[in-house]
């Protein structure tokens, strides 16, 4: 009989081969990307980039410059930044923690923008019938999360506030789909997750929010680019940011339309997408010294917990010029 571990190992090998194939197919296009014939964008199953993809406005604007847009979906921020680092994409969006892990691993990336704080868009949840009532009750419990994602820092801060050492919980590192499966069958006691997976857990599973990010984390969404691409093609990056700003402004005033587009793009139920869209913060901005300072605090915490291999200076990943 094939064991659960065997199945997971096989799945990892399959995903690894798929990723390698994607990279192999994308790398020959790197030279073309540097020539501004294409901008390759990595996105996740939610957020302004997904909305921009659904509206198609970026393609129209860049077509006038002879530039095409190639979209690639990723299941989470850490994998997206792996793609950025190896050259399979030029631009993407992630939460707070992934760029810190990526920078510590030597990724040549730069911050080019961020969305406003959205602390209620991520949370620690427990099953609806769970006896766990407070974060302090998580001591000794199994908690699923995506390693290196934005929710990693939420867990650290929530435990800290509750007076629980990080080492006193059992972290189970799983991507969202596997984490949900483990959560549903009771293999873990809690799950730390972001929207729209959070909204889906609430709507479909009756998951109860133990703590969200309010009062604990900012939960910025960051836009990052491969440094060589950003330095070679600042105009293309500037256009992407401008189009994101337009979509943000439109989205803030049209939640119903946002819901319809994101539901079509993600395949999720409208009620789930609407809940997530209502919690999202719209309004892309330039990355300020204050935001970089917040990122530095996160990096310092991760370094102290030995979650990253070495301390980093986050401002080293800022662009040397304004877009």
């Amino acid at each position: 009989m094939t064991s659960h571990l065997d199945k997971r190992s096989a799945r990892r090998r399959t995903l690894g081969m798929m990723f390698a194939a994607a990279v192999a197919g994308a790398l020959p296009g790197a030279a073309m990307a540097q020539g501004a014939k294409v901008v390759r964008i990595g996105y996740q199953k939610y957020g302004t980039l997904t909305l921009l993809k659904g509206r198609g406005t970026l393609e129209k604007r860049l077509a006038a410059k002879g530039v095409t847009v190639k979209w690639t979906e990723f299941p989470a921020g850490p994998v997206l930044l792996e793609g950025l680092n190896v050259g399979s994409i030029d631009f993407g969006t992630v939460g707070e923690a992934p760029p810190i892990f990526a920078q510590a691993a030597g990724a040549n990336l730069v911050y080019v923008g961020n969305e406003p704080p959205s602390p209620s868009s991520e949370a620690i949840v427990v099953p609806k019938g769970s006896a766990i009532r407070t974060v302090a009750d998580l001591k000794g419990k199994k908690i699923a999360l995506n390693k290196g994602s934005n929710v990693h820092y939420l867990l650290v801060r929530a435990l800290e506030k509750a007076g629980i050492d990080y080492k006193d919980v059992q972290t189970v590192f799983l991507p969202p789909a596997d984490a949900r499966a483990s959560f549903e069958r009771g293999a873990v006691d809690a799950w730390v997750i972001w929207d729209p997976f959070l909204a889906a857990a609430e709507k479909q599973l009756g998951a109860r929010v133990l703590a969200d990010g309010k009062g604990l984390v900012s939960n910025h969404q960051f836009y990052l680019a491969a440094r060589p691409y950003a330095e070679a093609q600042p105009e293309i990056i500037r256009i992407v940011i401008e189009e994101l700003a337009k979509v943000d402004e439109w989205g803030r005033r049209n939640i119903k339309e946002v819901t319809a587009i994101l539901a079509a793009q993600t395949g999720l139920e409208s009620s789930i997408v609407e809940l997530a869209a209502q919690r999202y913060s719209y309004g892309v901005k330039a990355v300020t010294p204050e935001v970089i300072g917040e990122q530095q605090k996160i990096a310092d915490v991760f370094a102290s917990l030995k979650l990253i291999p070495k301390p980093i200076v986050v401002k080293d990943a800022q662009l040397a010029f304004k877009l």
Side-chain angles (χ1 to χ4, degrees):
M1 179 180 294
T2 303
S3 71
H4 178 62
L5 287 176
D6 290 337
K7 290 179 180 178
R8 288 190 59 189
S9 296
R11 182 166 61 248
R12 280 196 292 268
R13 287 195 298 272
T14 301
L15 289 172
M17 288 187 289
M18 289 172 63
F19 182 71
V23 170
L27 285 175
M32 184 171 65
Q34 295 303 313
K37 296 300 182 185
V38 63
V39 58
R40 301 162 302 166
I41 299 177
Y43 69 102
Q44 298 181 59
K45 208 177 189 69
Y46 179 62
T48 306
L49 269 181
T50 307
L51 190 58
L52 182 62
K53 178 178 180 288
R55 296 200 79 198
T57 53
L58 180 63
E59 285 86 345
K60 292 177 182 176
R61 183 166 176 191
L62 288 178
K65 296 183 175 295
V67 179
T68 58
V69 183
K70 178 182 177 183
W71 298 90
T72 302
E73 183 180 329
F74 291 85
V79 184
L80 187 152
L81 289 186
E82 285 179 25
L84 192 77
N85 188 40
V86 301
S88 64
I89 58 171
D90 307 305
F91 183 95
T93 182
V94 298
E96 295 166 326
I100 291 169
F101 279 81
Q103 189 179 351
N108 194 16
L109 54 79
V110 286
Y111 292 82
V112 296
N114 64 267
E115 299 287 346
S118 186
S120 61
S121 292
E122 60 178 6
I124 304 171
V125 296
V126 294
K128 58 183 178 181
S130 174
I132 296 171
R133 294 293 167 184
T134 68
V135 174
D137 294 335
L138 293 174
K139 186 174 182 178
K141 299 296 192 292
K142 290 182 179 179
I143 305 172
L145 70 152
N146 197 96
K147 184 178 182 180
S149 65
N150 55 336
V151 295
H152 206 148
Y153 186 58
L154 171 60
L155 177 62
V156 170
R157 288 285 292 116
L159 294 174
E160 180 184 71
K161 183 178 180 181
I164 305 298
D165 286 340
Y166 179 79
K167 62 180 174 57
D168 287 337
V169 299
Q170 300 178 57
T171 51
V172 181
F173 296 131
L174 296 169
D178 290 344
R180 172 165 169 152
S182 293
F183 184 78
E184 282 192 74
R185 68 174 183 268
V188 295
D189 301 292
W191 182 20
V192 200
I193 189 58
W194 61 89
D195 275 329
F197 305 105
L198 169 60
E202 291 177 273
K203 290 285 189 179
Q204 296 174 334
L205 307 179
R208 174 164 47 86
V209 172
L210 199 63
D212 63 18
K214 292 192 293 290
L216 294 171
V217 298
S218 294
N219 190 30
H220 287 104
Q221 287 293 305
F222 287 102
Y223 298 106
L224 298 109
R227 186 186 295 274
Y229 188 92
E231 291 178 347
Q233 302 299 337
E235 184 183 10
I236 302 303
I237 298 296
R238 178 181 55 78
I239 288 172
V240 175
I241 294 295
E242 287 177 357
E243 291 303 311
L244 283 167
K246 292 176 184 177
V247 168
D248 265 337
E249 179 61 29
W250 176 83
R252 184 170 39 242
R253 295 180 281 104
N254 297 278
I255 295 298
K256 291 293 185 184
E257 289 86 346
V258 166
T259 297
I261 291 174
L262 290 180
Q265 287 289 307
T266 63
L268 294 170
E269 298 171 15
S270 293
S271 62
I272 293 170
V273 175
E274 185 171 12
L275 175 59
Q278 288 170 343
R279 292 193 285 226
Y280 190 73
S281 295
Y282 301 86
V284 64
K285 303 175 183 295
V287 181
T288 64
E290 290 74 22
V291 171
I292 290 295
E294 288 186 47
Q295 283 292 91
Q296 187 63 55
K297 289 179 182 177
I298 298 173
D300 292 344
V301 168
F302 284 167
S304 71
L305 291 172
K306 309 298 183 186
L307 292 174
I308 56 177
K310 61 181 180 181
I312 62 169
V313 178
V314 175
K315 67 180 180 180
D316 289 347
Q318 278 190 285
L319 273 176
F321 56 89
K322 291 186 177 180
L323 291 171

